[in-house]
Amino acid sequence: MTAYVNIGSNIGDRHAHIERAVTAISGIADGAVRRSDPIESEPWGYASEHPYINLGIAFETSLPPAELHAALQTIQRDIDPAPHRQPDGTYADRRIDIDLIAVDDIVIDTPELTLPHPRMHKRQFVLLPMVQLAPGWHHPIYGVTPARLLARLNN
């Protein structure tokens, strides 16, 4: 199975935090990890003066999606144990954010995990890396490629 992950950081040494995450994820991947170009973007869903650097990665995995998600959350907590939400539930600045975006064309909707990521189609910083990493991938619910989702977002 191919997993698609988005990694973001907007405080501290953003590049170093992302590299640490990629290195840790490489340890659970079955083979090489492919990378997108990094993208700098404004925070999504909240106001902050700290822009994000985001990187998409793709890799083969034999882990079931729920186990992969749990492993990614452990890596995220190891790098940044601080909560990613404010007490009122809004997003907060973070050293690292690791999101499982998709695993092949698997659809999952549980309280613990939703695949594909339920907001991927609303986030340019997720779609641009997906266009690079998986131009032929089709969103299993919307039935279109990342480029088409990006075009819809930009219109």
Side-chain angles (χ1 to χ4, degrees), residues 74-95:
T74 297
I75 291 167
Q76 179 176 278
R77 277 190 307 274
D78 287 348
I79 297 170
D80 185 5
H84 288 178
R85 297 215 182 231
Q86 303 288 353
D88 66 0
T90 58
Y91 291 118
D93 290 334
R94 54 203 89 160
R95 286 183 196 91

Side-chain angles (χ1 to χ4, degrees), residues 92-106:
D93 290 334
R94 54 203 89 160
R95 286 183 196 91
I96 202 73
D97 184 38
I98 302 173
D99 287 331
L100 181 56
I101 302 302
V103 178
D104 288 339
D105 61 354
I106 295 172

Side-chain angles (χ1 to χ4, degrees), residues 34-39 54-58 128-130 132-133:
R34 295 183 296 120
R35 301 169 174 240
S36 72
D37 293 332
I39 296 167
N54 285 91
L55 179 76
I57 61 172
L128 286 169
M130 285 293 289
Q132 289 182 15
L133 294 168

